[in-house]
Amino acid sequence: MGEEQWREAFDMHDLDGASSISSKDLAACLRYCGAVVSNAEVAKVAGDKSTISWEEFKKILADALKKHPAGAGLNQKVKDHFKVFDKDEDGFVQTSELNYIMGKVAEKLTGEEMEVLNNESGQFADQGKIKYREFIDHMMQNVK
């Protein structure tokens, strides 16, 4: 993903056309561009700003991508973490357990993020279970 695609992602969140995005949209925009960032990291870089300019965004994104270059083995690390919840060792995790993990144990997701997660995981679900390896591969596409 290059700067042109970064700009497209940024512009999708620039609701008033002022070449800035709300700091509340920063995490989603960074993640869309392939950055692996926690909510705490985003809060730290946003500071007390209510908006982030295009120039600031480019620097924040570049720094985040340097910190975790091209996902650097992240896909396998995520699969290894999910394996803990694969009680039957059959490549599946209960859908309800995924929602619990993502809503309680992991970094708190917003309602919108949970909805996206559920929608995305649905295509990998079978009788209340998620084929987590395929689901992770799908979700990590933009990180590679």
Side-chain angles (χ1 to χ4, degrees):
M1 182 177 261
E3 188 169 325
E4 185 177 320
Q5 289 87 5
W6 295 355
R7 184 63 197 221
E8 288 174 14
F10 183 87
D11 288 345
M12 286 190 308
H13 292 89
D14 181 11
L15 302 179
D16 61 3
S19 199
S20 65
I21 61 172
S22 165
S23 58
K24 293 178 183 177
D25 293 329
L26 180 59
C29 197
L30 289 168
R31 290 175 184 143
Y32 182 85
C33 292
V36 179
V37 293
S38 68
N39 289 342
E41 290 171 317
V42 172
K44 183 177 179 180
V45 297
D48 59 357
K49 296 180 182 181
S50 60
T51 61
I52 305 294
S53 73
W54 166 241
E55 293 302 319
E56 290 171 316
F57 175 77
K58 286 193 307 185
K59 182 184 178 333
I60 292 167
L61 178 58
D63 290 347
L65 292 173
K66 283 179 193 169
K67 185 174 179 183
H68 299 286
L74 185 61
N75 189 305
Q76 187 58 48
K77 288 178 187 174
V78 172
K79 287 178 184 176
D80 290 343
H81 289 292
F82 270 81
K83 198 183 281 187
V84 171
F85 300 99
D86 182 5
K87 294 175 183 155
D88 299 328
E89 297 182 2
D90 60 359
F92 288 88
V93 173
Q94 292 289 332
T95 306
S96 59
E97 196 161 17
L98 175 66
N99 286 332
Y100 175 79
I101 294 164
M102 299 309 291
K104 303 284 184 201
V105 179
E107 198 168 301
K108 290 268 188 196
L109 297 180
T110 65
E112 183 179 315
E113 289 170 326
M114 282 300 292
E115 186 176 328
V116 168
L117 178 68
N118 285 322
N119 289 340
E120 291 291 324
S121 67
Q123 63 184 312
F124 301 99
D126 182 31
Q127 298 179 353
K129 292 183 173 184
I130 296 172
K131 300 175 200 169
Y132 69 88
R133 289 179 187 100
E134 290 87 351
F135 170 62
I136 292 167
D137 287 342
H138 172 75
M139 295 300 287
M140 300 295 284
Q141 286 178 47
N142 289 332
V143 177
K144 294 180 181 176

